[in-house]
Amino acid sequence: MGRDRAKAILDRFGVGATAAGGGQLLESLNPATGQVQGSIRALTRAEYDGRVTAALRRFEEWRMWPAPKRGEIVRRLGELLREHRDALGELVSLESGKIRAEGVGEVQEMIDICDFAVGLSRQLHGLTIASERPQHRLMEQWHPLGAVGIVTAFNFPVAVWSWNAALAAVCGDVCLWKPSPLTPLCSAAVQALCDRVAKEHGAEGVFNLVPGGADVGTWLCDDPRVPLISFTGSIATGKSVAARVAARLGRALLELGGNNGVIVLDDADPDLAVRAITFGAVGTAGQRCTSTRRLFLQRGLARGLIDRLVAAYRSVRIGDPLEPGVLMGPLITRNAVERYRAALATAREQGGKVICGGAVLDRPGNFVEPALVLAPRHDAFPIAWEETFAPILYVFEVEDLDEALRAHNAVPQGLSSAVFTDSLRSAEQFLSPAGSDCGIANVNAGTSGAEIGGAFGGEKETGGGRESGSDAWKAYMRRQTSTVNWGRDLPLAQGITFGT
């Protein structure tokens, strides 16, 4: 059934049975059934080199297109995504296992970032700076960077590409996309839309698919023709990417692991907190980089909130992600199930108590129950310092906000965070320089569900990169400081005199 649904969607997009390259077969396994539902082929090294060469040839012209004209290409892509939103959203669910609402929501995120990028195409502004020299103008401007390598993960198989590609395109760059080999069909469908837009507007070579495994990722990282690599994935792989790109003095934009914490104080609205925590920990089966993994409860409300969470968890319907009413689909692979199982075993060994869920379901596919684990002291519970990409939530009791912040900030990851409180002082402390050390800090909102208008990314081992909104566009451009002397004298800066 999954194969038929995937094929019907791919046919609608005009994708052949084994599109892309002439290399190894990249099979898509439906995580809800374990069955093959389609495939594409990876690129050979020769094909990869050919695509990079063609993309750079296009860049020589593309960089000179007026930015608003480049924006028109992205506008058209957004229109096609609107037309195909539900079909592409269903394909996202079939490949990644997220429920239909989340799959369609991911495509909506693509549409939104296209809208953002179209507006941005008229706002790639620099600065005019006061010069210390008379009859001189000092200014800063931004130019296209070149080819951008975009390496994406399975959990957001299309949205993260769009964060990078839509912005990079209006900035005047060309894009080389290496998708996760676990979700190859989504990338083929999106590339088909890109090819259609490019053909309509004479912009072939702006958006390029370079599918494959770790070898293609290595080619990108080591390729001096690709000045920027945007990588989304694990911390371990991100460290390797950073080292390889740095070895050739390239740029790396890293979006790595999150070990996200929520703090709930005694004065919080418990209903609000429970809804946010449940979605943050259970949504996408705990496979978002912003998933809630650690919960710090002030002792005054801890018992009552835990009871509410247990009730909420028991109401979560698990099953086919495309079936109405299902709130949690499968994990992505059997290996992910084994990591879930191993993490819970380790949690028990370290003194944790599983109070809800924690079972692997005896059915086809990669289904597990979301787990709530009562934990001992944070500094005596090493498993909570790691990120397990699964629906496991570790629950700690704390005395106050200060204790919660010390534990929250102790881990090496620093992506998303949240506090629930009705106290202005507590909220401001959480947002202060002495508060959360994460790239995202929310008050009375959960760790998941970031809007595209803000820059997305984190600190410490999360990598420090920023994508999507705000001024994240600057990562895809090169800065140039320029001086124009419109006088007839040649005064030097700092009052230096030289020669006669």
Side-chain angles (χ1 to χ4, degrees):
M1 184 64 176
R3 174 186 284 273
D4 293 340
R5 294 172 88 165
K7 183 179 184 303
I9 295 170
L10 293 176
D11 288 345
R12 177 174 172 179
F13 283 79
V15 178
T18 53
Q24 65 177 335
L25 205 61
L26 303 175
E27 289 187 326
S28 171
L29 298 181
N30 185 329
T33 65
Q35 296 177 343
V36 176
Q37 57 189 347
S39 62
I40 67 173
R41 287 197 177 276
L43 298 189
T44 65
R45 182 58 199 249
E47 289 169 333
Y48 165 83
D49 285 330
R51 292 200 184 178
V52 175
T53 299
L56 292 175
R57 191 179 304 121
R58 168 59 66 186
F59 172 67
E60 293 180 1
E61 177 197 5
W62 180 246
R63 63 186 174 183
M64 297 305 294
W65 283 38
K69 294 296 184 184
R70 299 194 294 254
E72 289 300 314
I73 307 298
V74 176
R75 182 197 302 278
R76 178 59 179 146
L77 177 59
E79 290 172 351
L80 288 179
L81 288 168
R82 279 184 171 86
E83 293 175 21
H84 295 84
R85 188 189 70 162
D86 290 349
L88 183 56
E90 182 172 333
L91 188 61
V92 168
S93 294
L94 285 169
E95 280 211 290
S96 71
K98 60 177 62 174
I99 62 174
R100 184 190 297 272
E102 291 188 271
V104 172
E106 180 170 348
V107 182
Q108 184 62 50
E109 198 166 342
M110 301 176 76
I111 296 165
D112 293 344
I113 198 65
C114 285
D115 286 349
F116 179 91
V118 172
L120 178 66
S121 69
R122 295 180 181 272
Q123 299 182 73
L124 301 173
H125 47 72
L127 297 171
T128 298
I129 305 165
S131 175
E132 67 182 75
R133 291 171 285 181
Q135 297 182 316
H136 280 60
R137 179 157 62 92
L138 181 61
M139 58 185 174
E140 178 182 277
Q141 57 186 354
W142 296 84
H143 291 311
L145 188 60
V148 175
I150 305 169
V151 183
T152 58
F154 77 87
N155 58 335
F156 279 85
V158 291
V160 171
W161 168 81
S162 69
W163 292 357
N164 288 272
L167 268 61
V170 299
C171 288
D173 300 324
V174 293
C175 304
L176 302 162
W177 180 17
K178 195 206 90 63
S180 167
L182 298 176
T183 52
L185 305 184
C186 289
S187 63
V190 172
Q191 186 61 41
L193 296 183
C194 291
D195 290 345
R196 179 174 163 185
V197 172
K199 186 175 182 179
E200 290 174 356
H201 294 270
E204 292 88 346
V206 172
F207 301 110
N208 303 275
L209 188 63
V210 289
D215 52 348
V216 177
T218 299
W219 300 341
L220 277 169
C221 290
D222 292 347
D223 196 335
R225 299 172 295 176
V226 185
L228 172 65
I229 301 296
S230 175
F231 172 82
T232 301
S234 71
I235 291 171
T237 305
K239 288 180 178 179
S240 175
V241 168
R244 299 192 81 100
V245 176
R248 59 176 175 86
L249 299 181
R251 299 187 195 179
L253 196 168
L254 303 174
E255 297 287 359
L256 310 178
N259 191 0
N260 312 293
V262 170
I263 299 169
V264 185
L265 301 181
D266 285 347
D267 59 5
D269 178 337
D271 292 331
L272 192 67
V274 167
R275 292 201 303 272
I277 293 162
T278 304
F279 174 70
V282 175
T284 324
Q287 297 173 116
R288 291 178 178 234
C289 49
T290 55
S291 289
T292 305
R293 310 204 181 279
R294 298 176 298 143
L295 178 60
F296 302 94
L297 302 178
Q298 196 168 7
R299 288 196 171 88
L301 60 52
R303 188 66 262 166
L305 199 79
I306 289 170
D307 290 343
R308 286 171 178 256
L309 280 171
V310 169
Y313 268 49
R314 286 176 176 163
S315 73
V316 172
R317 186 177 167 196
I318 304 166
D320 180 346
L322 292 175
E323 187 176 320
V326 168
L327 294 180
M328 193 181 102
L331 295 179
I332 188 67
T333 61
R334 292 309 299 177
N335 284 340
V337 173
E338 292 310 311
R339 288 192 291 270
Y340 162 90
R341 201 195 307 265
L344 287 175
T346 300
R348 292 185 178 99
E349 291 169 2
Q350 294 176 359
K353 180 182 179 182
V354 179
I355 60 169
C356 186
V360 175
L361 301 186
D362 185 14
R363 56 175 291 179
N366 308 319
F367 292 95
V368 302
E369 293 177 338
L372 279 173
V373 181
L374 290 184
R377 283 194 347 265
H378 189 268
D379 59 0
F381 198 58
I383 188 63
W385 295 54
E386 303 174 14
E387 181 190 34
T388 302
F389 230 51
I392 301 173
L393 181 61
Y394 302 119
V395 183
F396 304 88
E397 291 190 22
V398 294
E399 191 64 37
D400 53 26
L401 178 58
D402 289 337
E403 181 185 348
L405 282 170
R406 283 194 298 272
H408 177 276
N409 292 349
V411 297
Q413 309 89 355
L415 179 52
S416 188
S417 60
V419 68
F420 284 83
T421 179
D422 280 348
S423 165
L424 176 64
R425 287 189 174 91
S426 296
E428 291 295 335
Q429 180 180 345
F430 180 78
L431 297 177
S432 76
S436 168
D437 63 358
C438 293
I440 299 169
N442 299 329
V443 176
N444 293 330
T447 59
S448 285
E451 298 181 36
I452 61 96
F456 180 91
E459 300 300 323
K460 301 187 293 187
E461 287 191 354
T462 300
R466 293 296 186 274
E467 294 172 339
S468 192
S470 186
D471 65 348
W473 60 271
K474 294 179 179 178
Y476 308 95
M477 305 197 82
R478 58 182 177 88
R479 185 193 311 250
Q480 186 176 80
T481 302
S482 303
T483 303
V484 176
N485 177 4
W486 52 277
R488 296 191 179 278
D489 296 323
L490 191 65
L492 301 178
Q494 294 84 48
I496 295 173
T497 58
F498 185 79
T500 56

